[in-house]
Amino acid sequence: MEALYYKGQGNKGVQCELCPHNCIIQSEKSGICNVRVNREGILIAENYGIISSLGFDPIEKKPLYHYYPGSEIFSVGSLGCNLKCKFCQNWQISQTGVCDFSRNTEQYIPGEIVELAFSRKNNLGIAYTYNEPTVFFEYVVEVAKRAKKQGLKNVMVTNGYINLDPLNEL
């Protein structure tokens, strides 16, 4: 899927404007996140719909203090991150791109994630977590809109490293 928040740089280069790194990406290369890839002058969100991890978690694991205590939330993660923390507990999914990932992933359209969230009675909503959710921005936005429309809460476990325009869209 074509990414949002980028501009052409001439000679098929692009500048990603999703996070403050503002990566200038040459053709057939990725930005720091490993998942936003320049394909002949078009920035592609390669991880759109690619899910590496999902499951139901206690809301306190997100970590949220006194936010619907005792509730469960459906957690969804993809691949990539815009930081390179040496202490990352999920480095296997956050420090890799789609082509380099060695474990199985599955493709889910946004409606399927919402359906899965409803598969457990009393589930509170959807948490975008495990890797950095801002790097699968386009997918998170689409799933979150559908979830909200159906009465689910949306939670992002994020490092917060995002530019103002995409943050305002979220």
Side-chain angles (χ1 to χ4, degrees):
M1 168 177 212
E2 184 172 358
L4 301 172
Y5 298 103
Y6 79 97
K7 63 183 175 188
Q9 289 288 299
N11 201 23
K12 296 187 181 175
V14 299
Q15 182 172 20
C16 182
E17 297 177 325
L18 182 61
C19 83
H21 286 298
N22 294 311
C23 295
I24 295 176
I25 309 168
Q26 298 308 311
S27 188
E28 305 310 311
K29 301 290 183 188
S30 68
I32 287 171
C33 64
N34 294 314
V35 292
R36 300 174 82 74
V37 178
N38 178 353
R39 297 279 183 234
E40 299 290 319
I42 297 173
L43 191 62
I44 302 296
E46 276 197 329
N47 61 345
Y48 185 91
I50 302 292
I51 303 302
S52 66
S53 310
L54 40 81
F56 289 91
D57 291 320
I59 191 69
E60 290 84 1
K61 187 178 174 186
K62 293 303 137 205
L64 297 171
Y65 186 67
H66 288 285
Y67 181 79
Y68 296 92
S71 298
E72 283 191 316
I73 195 159
F74 185 57
S75 298
V76 177
S78 185
L79 300 170
C81 185
N82 54 12
L83 298 180
K84 302 290 182 201
C85 305
K86 292 182 186 217
F87 54 83
C88 180
Q89 68 181 12
N90 291 331
W91 62 270
Q92 299 94 332
I93 62 172
S94 69
Q95 304 303 309
T96 190
V98 174
C99 294
D100 299 325
F101 191 61
S102 59
R103 288 189 359 219
N104 288 338
T105 57
E106 291 194 42
Q107 183 95 27
Y108 290 90
I109 60 172
E112 290 175 313
I113 294 298
V114 175
E115 285 177 27
L116 286 169
F118 278 113
S119 71
R120 178 135 343 152
K121 188 176 180 182
N122 298 322
N123 175 46
L124 178 65
I126 300 171
Y128 311 92
T129 184
Y130 303 134
N131 71 306
E132 175 51 43
T134 61
V135 302
F136 65 117
F137 176 87
E138 295 80 6
Y139 189 73
V140 168
V141 167
E142 184 62 32
V143 173
K145 284 178 185 178
R146 290 169 181 255
K148 183 177 180 182
K149 197 177 277 188
Q150 293 190 38
L152 294 171
K153 307 287 185 201
N154 287 288
V155 171
M156 287 181 70
V157 180
T158 177
N159 62 35
Y161 201 60
I162 186 170
N163 282 330
L164 189 57
D165 286 344
L167 176 62
N168 286 334
E169 184 175 342
L170 280 174

